[in-house]
Amino acid sequence: MANIYETEVAKRFTIYNSLFLDLPFDQIYRTGTLLPILSEACQNGFKKNKTPKEIIRQFFEELMADKSEEERHDLLFKMVQYIERQVVLFDSIEDASFEKFNDIKGKGTMTALIARAENDHKKDELIQKLKNFSVRLTLTAHPTQFYPGNVLAIITDLEQAIRKNDLGDVDLLLRQLGKTAFINKEKPSPYEEAVSLTWFLEYVFYPSISDIMIRVLNQLNIPLHDWENPNLLKVGFWPGGDRDGNPFVTHEITKKVADKLQNSILKCYYRDIRKVRRRLTFHNVESHLIKAEKGIYNTLFGGDGDVFKSKDDLLAVLYDARKGIIEEHGGLSLELLDEFILKVRVFGFHFASMDVRQDSRKHDALWDEILEKSEGEAALETYRQGDEEAKIEKILSIDKLPEISALEDPFHREMLESVKSINYIQKNNGPMGCHRYIISNNQSVLHVLEVFQLNKLLLADGGDLSLDIVPLFETIDDLANAHGVMTKLYNNKVYREHLRKRGNKQSIMLGFSDGTKDGGYIRANWSILRAKEELTKVAREEGIDVIFFDGRGGPPARGGGNTHNFYASLGPNVENREIQITIQGQTISANYGKPVSCSYNLEQLLSAGMESHLYPSSENSLTEKQKSLIDEMAEISYNAYKELKNHKQFVPYLEKVTPLKFFGMTNIGSRPVKRSKGGSMKFEDLRAIPFVGAWAQMKQNIPGFFGVGKAIEELEKQGRLGEVQQLYKDSLFFRSLLGNSMQSLAKSFYPATAYLKDDPQFGGFWDLMYSEYQRSYEKVLAVAGMTDLLEDSPLSNQSIAIRERIVLPLITIQQYAIQTILDKGKEDTALQKLILRTMFGIINAARNAA
C-alpha cells in the first residue's frame, strides 16, 4: 500500500507540480525555481539549529543581496501564494486516488458488515438495529475552511482531471488557479456561510445518503417502500441558527436560511422527477408525475397552479403514481419511483434540520429583564436571592411574557424574535426543519427550564411544545456534574411530562473542543466517556432514551481523528441509539466533500454503531481496573495541563506570540474570535477553534498531547508501564486515544520555534512545552511498541510527511515574521501581512488543524 501511495500520490505530485513553472504569469518561474532552494535551506537550517530569521536572511544574502527589504518581502509573499496552490494540487491528487487507498467495500463499510452478519446468522439482528438507529451529521459554520467557493469549484474539477490523467485540463485548471484569489475580501455573512454549505448538501450529501440507503436496503432484500426508518442517515445544520457568540445571526437570517434549504431540496427533487418521468411514461402514471413535476416547479419558482405545502402533499401524488404502476403495469420500473419516494421521505421539505443555539448566560439575562418588566425591581431582587428550586418554581409559574417591544435591551428583543422564527420554520419546512434548541455552557437544571418555559410561552400557545431542549456540557466540572443535573431534570414533573410527549427521548450535547481547552487531551476525552456512562445509567433508570450529540472538530485536540474507532469502542455502558456529531470547515470538504469520500465516511460511522451492538468485544468494554488506570492517567495529565494553563505566560504567549489574534482578520467566518467584547484577552472567552488553531500554526499542538507523556512517565516511575502497554493492547478506546494524539505529535515541529527558548519573557514557558513534547513523543512510542509515530498507519504517516514538507517554507516565513516583530518590540504591517497570509496554507495543508 505504501508503494501504491508513492506512485499514485507522491510521484504524481512531483510531475504535476512541475506544470506550475510553465504558467504564463509574472515572476512565476523565478518564484518556482527559488522555492526549492528555500525549502532545502529551511530543512538544513533547522537541522543546524538556526533560527527562522537566520534561515531567511541567509537565503536573501546569498540570492537577493542587492534587493531592498520590500522586494524581499514581496518574493516571500509570492512564495506563499505559490505554496497555497501546491497544497490545492496535493489535495486534489489525494482525493483522486481515494478509492485506491480506502477499501470502499472492506472493513468499516456496510457491504462488509452485511456479509459478516449474514455469515454469522445475525442478519435479522442487524435489520432490527437499523430500524432504530440513526447517524446525524451536523454541518456547522465554524471558520476552519480557508478556501472560498470558487477555489472549491476548481478543486472539484481538478480532481476529475487528475482522475482521467488529462494533462491538458490539469494545466488549464492550474492556470485558472493561478489567477484566482484565495482569500475573501470581506467576512461572509451567516447567510453566505449557509449558501456555501448548501452546495455540499445538494451535490454531495443528497446523492451519497440516497445511495447508501438504497444500496443497504437492496443488499438486505428490504423493499424500499417498506422501510420504516427514513431517519437512518440525516443532516443537521447550524448556519443561520447558531447564535452563540455571533451577533450577526438574526431571526431574519434564520428564516432566510430555512427558505434556502427548502429551495435547495426542491431543486434536487425537480432534477430527479424529470429523470423519473422520462422512464415512467405509462397510462395513469405519467399524469401523476406531471402533476408532481408542476407542483414542485410552482413551489420552487412561484409559477401559476397548485403548490406543495409539505412533503406529504408531494408524497400523496407520488403514491398515486405508484399505485398506477402496480395495478396497471405489473410493477414495471417501480424501483425508479420508489427510490425517488425514499429521497422525499428522507429529506422532506427541510433538507437539513436547523438547530438554534444560545449561551445559558444570555437566557439568564433575558429572564432578569422579563421579570423586571413584568413584576418590578423588587420581584427581580427576590428572585435573584432565591436558591435554584425557588428560581425554577418562579420561572415555571409565569404564564405570559411582556410584549417584545416592551423590552429595552435590543438583544433580548432579538432573542424572542429568534425563538418565534422556529414556528416559521416548522410551518414551512415541516417539524424536522427545526426541532432542537441547544444551550451552550449549560450548568444547571434552571438553564434547561429557562429555555423550556421561554419556548413554551412563545411557541406552544397553550398546547404541547414541539421542540427538544438540548443541554450542552462543555467544561470538565460541568461534565462531572452532568448526570446530577439530568437526574434532577428527569424528576421535574413539568419537564418529565414534556419528555413523555416527545417520546421519552432526551438529547444531550457534549463539547469535545471546549472540554479539551478546559481540561487537556486525556482528561477531556475521558471525562466525556465517563459522563456518557453516567448519563446512560441515569436515563436507563428513568426510562429515558438518551441521545448523545458530540461537538467534535477536525483535529484530535477537538475530538477529531479516527471517528470509526472512537464510536466502535464505546461499549455497552454508553447508549448508542444514534451517532450525532458536528462537522465543519475542512472536515466537510476533506472527509465529506466528494460523493465517494462522503459515502465512505458516513458508512464508517453507521457501521461503527452497528458493530458495537452486533459484536460486543472485551476491547470495547473497560474493566474497573482499566477505568481506574485511565482515571489515574487523566488526573496526572489534567494537573500537568492545569499547571501550564495557569502559567503566568500562557495567555500572554497566545496573545503576543501566536497568530491567535489574526484569526479574526482571515475573513473566513462571520463569528468573532472570542465571545466577549473589549480589548483584553481572557482565557475563558477564547473560542476553541482559534485556540487550537493558534497552537497548530506554531506547530506546537499543545491541546492534542500535553500531559500524555507526563501521565505515562509517572506510572512508569511506579513500575507500571507494563499496565499501560497492556491497556493499549486490550482497549480500543485507549488505542484510539493515543493514536489520535500521535497525529498531533506528528504534526508538531518544535525546531521552528526553538528561538523562543532564549526569549527573556517566554523562554521558560517554551522549555516547559518542549519538554512535554519530547516526553510525550518518547512515552507514546514506548506504550505502543513502535519506533516511529503512526507506524501502524503508513498512509497517514506519508501524507502528513509530504504535507509538512510542502508547508515548511510557510512555517519558516511565519516564524521569521513573528521573531522579527518580537525582536523589534513593535508591530510591523508588512510582517503582519505575511503572518496572516501564511496561516491559510498551513491550515489547509493539515486539513484538520483547526
Side-chain angles (χ1 to χ4, degrees):
M1 190 66 78
N3 290 335
I4 297 175
Y5 188 92
E6 179 68 24
T7 303
E8 293 292 332
V9 177
K11 281 188 167 39
R12 279 171 113 181
F13 175 69
T14 302
I15 294 167
Y16 287 131
N17 188 36
S18 65
L19 293 175
F20 278 117
L21 293 178
D22 291 328
L23 296 182
F25 305 141
D26 294 342
Q27 294 189 319
I28 192 76
Y29 187 82
R30 184 178 182 224
T31 305
T33 52
L34 288 178
L35 182 57
I37 299 173
L38 175 59
S39 183
E40 188 174 356
C42 294
Q43 292 176 49
N44 293 333
F46 287 125
K47 285 178 184 176
K48 296 175 182 177
N49 299 317
K50 289 184 178 180
T51 70
K53 199 171 172 181
E54 289 170 338
I55 292 170
I56 297 295
R57 282 187 173 175
Q58 184 176 340
F59 171 78
F60 284 142
E61 287 166 7
E62 290 177 359
L63 297 169
M64 299 181 67
D66 59 332
K67 301 298 183 183
S68 67
E69 187 174 84
E70 184 179 348
E71 289 174 306
R72 293 177 176 187
H73 285 169
D74 185 55
L75 175 65
L76 292 179
F77 193 79
K78 284 183 170 59
M79 285 184 167
V80 170
Q81 293 176 307
Y82 194 102
I83 294 168
E84 285 175 338
R85 284 151 180 82
Q86 285 183 314
V87 171
V88 168
L89 177 61
F90 188 76
D91 283 350
S92 300
I93 292 170
E94 270 203 338
D95 290 344
S97 306
F98 186 88
E99 300 96 313
K100 294 176 182 176
F101 309 118
N102 297 280
D103 188 350
I104 58 175
K105 293 184 178 179
K107 187 178 182 334
T109 67
M110 288 304 295
T111 298
L113 182 63
I114 289 169
R116 183 182 177 189
E118 287 179 336
N119 188 58
D120 296 338
H121 307 292
K122 291 191 173 188
K123 180 180 173 182
D124 290 342
E125 191 179 349
L126 172 61
I127 290 171
Q128 280 305 119
K129 182 64 177 174
L130 286 169
K131 287 179 180 178
N132 298 294
F133 192 71
S134 176
V135 171
R136 177 172 179 154
L137 292 181
T138 295
L139 311 187
T140 80
H142 293 350
T144 62
Q145 177 53 264
F146 282 69
Y147 294 135
N150 50 9
V151 174
L152 286 172
I154 295 171
I155 292 172
T156 299
D157 294 341
L158 187 57
E159 182 214 344
Q160 291 303 315
I162 291 169
R163 279 179 182 274
K164 295 182 289 186
N165 285 315
D166 190 329
L167 201 62
D169 262 4
V170 171
D171 183 59
L172 187 63
L173 288 163
L174 291 179
R175 291 185 184 211
Q176 183 185 354
L177 205 60
K179 289 283 191 181
T180 303
F182 265 52
I183 58 173
N184 297 311
K185 292 181 179 178
E186 297 178 349
K187 281 181 176 289
S189 69
Y191 180 71
E192 288 167 337
E193 289 173 331
V195 169
S196 68
L197 286 183
T198 54
W199 184 92
F200 290 101
L201 288 177
E202 282 189 49
Y203 296 102
V204 182
F205 285 95
Y206 180 76
S208 295
I209 288 176
S210 305
D211 172 67
I212 292 170
M213 289 190 66
I214 291 167
R215 182 159 35 84
V216 166
L217 293 175
N218 285 338
Q219 287 173 339
L220 292 169
N221 300 314
I222 299 173
L224 303 187
H225 184 68
D226 295 341
W227 183 239
E228 304 167 11
N229 182 15
N231 292 320
L232 179 64
L233 297 171
K234 52 189 176 181
V235 187
F237 206 75
W238 273 15
D242 181 10
R243 291 168 173 73
D244 181 16
N246 192 339
F248 307 110
V249 177
T250 66
H251 70 284
E252 291 296 342
I253 290 288
T254 302
K255 292 192 282 190
K256 193 176 177 183
V257 170
D259 291 343
K260 172 62 179 174
L261 287 169
Q262 185 182 100
N263 179 273
S264 294
I265 190 58
L266 288 175
K267 281 196 290 184
C268 293
Y269 292 159
Y270 187 68
R271 287 192 291 263
D272 273 3
I273 192 72
R274 289 172 64 84
K275 293 176 186 175
V276 171
R277 260 197 64 204
R278 289 180 65 180
R279 291 282 300 280
L280 299 177
T281 52
F282 321 142
H283 170 69
N284 200 23
V285 175
E286 186 179 33
S287 59
H288 297 299
L289 295 181
I290 290 173
K291 181 179 179 181
E293 182 185 329
K294 286 183 177 179
I296 293 170
Y297 181 91
N298 293 337
T299 309
L300 185 57
F301 300 112
D304 294 332
D306 294 336
V307 298
F308 293 126
K309 293 183 179 179
S310 69
K311 72 170 183 180
D312 293 331
D313 290 349
L314 173 57
L315 285 171
V317 177
L318 296 177
Y319 287 142
D320 286 340
R322 188 177 192 278
K323 183 179 178 183
I325 294 174
I326 294 170
E327 292 182 351
E328 300 182 32
H329 306 285
L332 181 62
S333 298
L334 181 63
E335 70 279 359
L336 289 177
L337 183 57
D338 277 350
E339 287 177 6
F340 182 59
I341 288 172
L342 182 65
K343 292 175 184 177
V344 177
R345 291 177 63 211
V346 170
F347 296 105
F349 269 33
H350 63 282
F351 210 163
S353 299
M354 294 181 70
D355 287 335
V356 173
R357 185 171 76 131
Q358 185 55 276
D359 190 283
S360 63
R361 290 163 289 193
K362 303 299 184 184
H363 304 129
D364 289 340
L366 172 59
W367 273 106
D368 279 358
E369 184 173 1
I370 289 172
L371 287 166
E372 184 181 14
K373 286 295 176 188
S374 301
E375 302 182 20
E377 290 185 14
L380 174 59
E381 189 57 35
T382 301
Y383 171 79
R384 285 176 171 170
Q385 291 177 3
D387 60 15
E388 186 182 38
E389 290 301 320
K391 288 179 178 178
I392 289 171
E393 186 178 350
K394 182 63 180 176
I395 292 292
L396 294 181
S397 71
I398 293 174
D399 57 9
K400 186 177 181 183
L401 296 175
E403 292 295 323
I404 292 177
S405 58
L407 298 182
E408 294 179 13
D409 190 325
F411 185 79
H412 292 162
R413 293 198 297 270
E414 174 56 38
M415 285 180 72
L416 295 181
E417 292 286 4
S418 295
V419 172
K420 289 176 67 177
S421 69
I422 295 171
N423 253 347
Y424 173 89
I425 299 170
Q426 292 190 345
K427 181 180 178 182
N428 291 298
N429 292 15
M432 285 293 290
C434 183
H435 64 95
R436 303 197 305 194
Y437 193 118
I438 299 166
I439 310 163
S440 301
N441 191 42
N442 193 98
Q443 298 179 323
S444 66
V445 175
L446 176 64
H447 284 155
V448 177
L449 293 178
E450 282 177 334
V451 173
F452 166 74
Q453 189 68 356
L454 187 70
N455 281 274
K456 194 171 192 321
L457 293 173
L458 284 168
L459 302 178
D461 194 25
D464 298 331
L465 177 63
S466 299
L467 191 73
D468 299 319
I469 312 300
V470 184
L472 166 52
F473 300 103
E474 301 175 85
T475 67
I476 301 302
D477 287 343
D478 290 345
L479 287 165
N481 297 329
H483 69 283
V485 170
M486 296 311 298
T487 300
K488 290 180 183 177
L489 192 60
Y490 295 147
N491 287 315
N492 180 280
K493 291 182 179 179
V494 174
Y495 190 76
R496 186 57 181 260
E497 178 61 13
H498 166 69
L499 285 183
R500 186 186 68 79
K501 291 174 179 175
R502 298 294 292 168
N504 280 320
K505 290 184 178 180
Q506 174 65 56
S507 295
I508 299 173
M509 189 173 180
L510 303 162
F512 281 79
S513 300
D514 283 285
T516 304
K517 176 183 152 233
D518 182 50
Y521 181 68
I522 297 182
R523 171 53 78 194
N525 281 272
W526 183 233
S527 293
I528 287 171
L529 180 59
R530 294 309 300 267
K532 283 185 173 182
E533 289 184 336
E534 292 296 325
L535 289 165
T536 297
K537 181 181 177 183
V538 168
R540 287 172 178 172
E541 289 173 352
E542 294 289 339
I544 301 294
D545 291 330
V546 67
I547 296 163
F548 294 117
F549 177 25
D550 293 332
R552 303 170 73 95
R558 295 184 48 239
N562 190 321
T563 50
H564 175 273
N565 282 351
F566 176 83
Y567 285 106
S569 73
L570 294 180
N573 295 326
V574 174
E575 194 62 73
N576 78 330
R577 289 178 64 89
E578 297 193 20
I579 289 177
Q580 297 194 6
I581 60 173
T582 56
I583 54 171
Q584 56 219 340
Q586 296 155 304
T587 313
I588 298 174
S589 57
N591 294 352
Y592 300 91
K594 309 289 188 304
V596 63
S597 59
C598 181
S599 295
Y600 177 80
N601 285 302
L602 268 172
E603 284 193 52
Q604 291 285 313
L605 288 172
L606 182 58
S607 68
M610 297 297 105
E611 275 184 35
S612 64
H613 173 77
L614 294 174
Y615 298 99
S617 166
S618 60
E619 71 169 9
N620 299 346
S621 303
L622 292 164
T623 65
E624 289 305 314
K625 185 178 178 182
Q626 289 173 327
K627 289 180 181 180
S628 177
L629 182 58
I630 301 176
D631 258 334
E632 286 185 64
M633 295 182 68
E635 190 62 22
I636 296 166
S637 172
Y638 183 37
N639 288 332
Y641 179 73
K642 273 201 302 184
E643 186 179 333
L644 179 78
K645 196 172 69 170
N646 294 333
H647 194 288
K648 63 181 180 180
Q649 298 302 343
F650 189 87
V651 173
Y653 183 86
L654 281 168
E655 188 171 16
K656 296 178 182 178
V657 180
T658 76
L660 177 68
K661 61 191 172 198
F662 294 100
F663 273 84
M665 306 177 195
T666 54
N667 291 338
I668 56 170
S670 65
R671 294 202 313 173
V673 173
K674 54 192 179 77
R675 285 181 169 88
S676 65
K677 296 178 181 179
S680 62
M681 186 176 288
K682 295 179 181 177
F683 176 79
E684 57 271 19
D685 288 333
L686 293 177
R687 290 196 173 279
I689 289 171
F691 174 77
V692 172
W695 294 115
Q697 290 287 317
M698 298 295 286
K699 288 294 161 183
Q700 292 172 329
N701 290 326
I702 291 298
F705 72 82
F706 200 91
V708 174
K710 179 71 172 176
I712 298 171
E713 183 182 71
E714 287 299 312
L715 288 169
E716 185 179 19
K717 287 178 181 177
Q718 301 171 26
R720 300 169 62 195
L721 179 62
E723 290 182 40
V724 185
Q725 291 171 327
Q726 193 62 45
L727 178 66
Y728 182 84
K729 291 177 183 176
D730 295 343
S731 167
L732 181 58
F733 169 79
F734 188 67
R735 207 157 54 243
S736 302
L737 196 66
L738 255 58
N740 286 341
S741 196
M742 282 189 199
Q743 282 194 36
S744 295
L745 290 164
K747 292 179 181 181
S748 299
F749 187 67
Y750 275 78
T753 56
Y755 66 90
L756 288 164
K757 68 177 182 287
D758 299 320
D759 186 272
Q761 182 178 357
F762 299 110
F765 184 70
W766 187 89
D767 282 336
L768 190 62
M769 293 188 292
Y770 182 53
S771 295
E772 182 57 21
Y773 163 76
Q774 288 180 303
R775 180 164 41 223
S776 295
Y777 191 106
E778 176 191 337
K779 300 305 177 187
V780 164
L781 290 179
V783 168
M786 298 179 186
T787 56
D788 198 11
L789 294 173
L790 300 174
E791 202 173 275
D792 58 342
S793 303
L795 296 183
S796 293
N797 202 0
Q798 282 183 286
S799 178
I800 290 170
I802 295 175
R803 289 174 181 278
E804 294 300 309
R805 191 162 63 245
I806 292 171
V807 297
L808 184 60
L810 287 187
I811 296 162
T812 310
I813 292 168
Q814 185 182 95
Q815 290 303 320
Y816 155 76
I818 291 172
Q819 185 183 5
T820 305
I821 288 173
L822 287 172
D823 288 348
K824 283 184 176 181
K826 61 179 181 180
E827 300 295 349
D828 182 299
T829 305
L831 293 173
Q832 284 183 328
K833 186 180 178 184
L834 273 177
I835 294 170
L836 184 62
R837 196 53 190 267
T838 54
M839 291 173 66
F840 292 75
I842 294 171
I843 286 284
N844 286 333
R847 280 201 162 186
N848 67 347

